[in-house]
Amino acid sequence: MILDIQRQPGANVIETVQRIKSELPRLQRAMPAGVKVNVVQDRTGTIRASVRDVQFTLVLTVALVVLVVFIFLRTIRATVIAGVALPLSLIATFGIMWLCGFSLDNLSLMALTIGTGFVVDDAIVMIENIVRHIEEGDDGFTAALRGASEIGFTVISLTVSLIAVFIPLLFMTGIVGRMFREFALTLTIAIVTSAIVSLTLTPMMCSRLLRPAARAAALRSPTG
């Protein structure tokens, strides 16, 4: 006898299969001695492999973004600030996705992978502007205030322009619209979260971690 089990609409197929497999030993014990319960086909194998590939791509993307930031900024402190803003924005995005009831599927992971570059853009723009004020002689706190006030509108305008790109996807109808609505919302959440982080956490970290090059060199010297 072959029993075909299908998930309900909206249910997580991997979680459904795991719950079924956890019940198989109990079902086997309830069967007569000559009856065996075997899994004939499990379609979640390809789904799991696909999700693992996207997860690896996401981790690799984060590592490459941090490496590129380090190569161009040429300072560990600025790289640490951008490196903190990136995972924090992604973690906050995961939390909002959980509150909205989104599932962690290929589309949402792909949206996070694509949004990794968008997420770090705001922080880089903010860091560069604050570093410019520090190089002009301002202390860290003053440079952070001036840099954030000057670049705040730019970050907000960049965020709005990026969100505007995904508005047509939110209003698409049919099956394609339902598939890409979660993709567009995930990207939108990641972009908005990165803007909030770049306007709050990034200037605060810059005021604490960044300092003028001449002062840093004097502190490192034996006579400083």
Side-chain angles (χ1 to χ4, degrees), residues 116-194:
T116 302
F118 297 150
V119 164
V120 78
D121 279 347
D122 297 334
I124 292 175
V125 172
M126 183 67 68
I127 293 170
E128 287 179 345
N129 196 47
I130 294 174
V131 169
R132 179 176 65 86
H133 284 290
I134 292 178
E135 291 176 348
E136 292 176 354
D138 292 341
D139 60 277
F141 184 77
T142 304
L145 287 178
R146 294 180 61 184
S149 61
E150 291 174 357
I151 211 70
F153 179 77
T154 304
V155 172
I156 294 174
S157 61
L158 285 173
T159 302
V160 174
S161 63
L162 288 173
I163 293 175
V165 176
F166 303 107
I167 290 178
L169 292 177
L170 298 176
F171 294 98
M172 288 181 64
T173 58
I175 298 177
V176 178
R178 294 180 60 184
M179 288 178 59
F180 283 95
R181 186 173 295 113
E182 185 174 330
F183 171 83
L185 285 174
T186 302
L187 262 177
T188 301
I189 292 170
I191 292 171
V192 172
T193 305
S194 70

Side-chain angles (χ1 to χ4, degrees), residues 64-163:
L64 290 176
V65 167
V66 173
L67 179 61
V68 170
V69 170
F70 174 73
I71 291 174
F72 284 94
L73 294 182
R74 301 177 185 178
T75 169
I76 296 293
R77 294 174 180 267
T79 305
V80 169
I81 296 173
V84 169
L86 177 56
L88 185 62
S89 299
L90 294 179
I91 291 171
T93 303
F94 281 128
I96 298 175
M97 288 172 59
W98 178 76
L99 291 176
C100 295
F102 293 167
S103 60
L104 199 62
D105 52 14
N106 282 335
L107 283 177
S108 59
L109 287 174
M110 182 174 64
L112 290 173
T113 304
I114 296 174
T116 302
F118 297 150
V119 164
V120 78
D121 279 347
D122 297 334
I124 292 175
V125 172
M126 183 67 68
I127 293 170
E128 287 179 345
N129 196 47
I130 294 174
V131 169
R132 179 176 65 86
H133 284 290
I134 292 178
E135 291 176 348
E136 292 176 354
D138 292 341
D139 60 277
F141 184 77
T142 304
L145 287 178
R146 294 180 61 184
S149 61
E150 291 174 357
I151 211 70
F153 179 77
T154 304
V155 172
I156 294 174
S157 61
L158 285 173
T159 302
V160 174
S161 63
L162 288 173
I163 293 175

